[in-house]
Amino acid sequence: QVQLVESGGGSVQAGGSLRLSCAASGNAADTYCMGWHRERGVVAAICRDGSTSYADSVQGRFTISKANAANTVYLEMDNLKPEDTAMYYCAAGWRVRPDSIYYPYWGQGTQVTVSS
């Protein structure tokens, strides 16, 4: 019922920027929260109440936002570093605890490569 399609990945040099997009379709309740993930865990998340959260490693460099009408989530990545190189996955779900989000739906991922 929920489908997520990521786009915007690519190869950039250190210090560059990329903007990832995740287009979601399906029940709004099932996409109450959406987040971006890479192999080391959650990068950033946003929920329909407007709350956002970020991993310490990307704080100040990445910005997550959402166009609610289009149910599209964006991840603006600035000042990219080689350690940001990863497959980035968009996921959707909902809160199961005040500080915990369950993500049952996942996209296929988009590759981000940052060279020195």
Side-chain angles (χ1 to χ4, degrees):
Q1 186 175 5
V2 174
Q3 293 186 344
L4 307 171
V5 180
E6 303 101 326
S7 62
S11 299
V12 297
Q13 292 186 334
S17 299
L18 284 173
R19 185 174 186 252
L20 306 183
S21 298
C22 175
S25 61
N27 194 312
D30 292 340
T31 59
Y32 187 85
C33 297
M34 299 182 68
W36 287 96
H37 302 71
R38 61 192 188 193
E39 53 258 30
R40 289 183 292 279
V42 178
V43 174
I46 188 168
C47 299
R48 293 189 188 274
D49 60 4
S51 62
T52 59
S53 61
Y54 296 91
D56 289 342
S57 59
V58 305
Q59 185 73 41
R61 299 188 297 117
F62 291 10
T63 303
I64 190 169
S65 62
K66 192 173 189 294
N68 289 325
N71 205 21
T72 300
V73 173
Y74 306 95
L75 185 68
E76 177 69 33
M77 304 184 293
D78 296 322
N79 192 24
L80 283 161
K81 303 175 180 179
E83 51 263 43
D84 294 319
T85 295
M87 183 75 76
Y88 284 73
Y89 296 90
C90 178
W94 53 87
R95 291 194 181 96
V96 293
R97 292 180 179 88
D99 60 348
S100 181
I101 300 171
Y102 173 57
Y103 295 103
Y105 307 107
W106 292 77
Q108 82 288 348
T110 185
Q111 179 67 39
V112 171
T113 302
V114 184
S115 59
S116 300

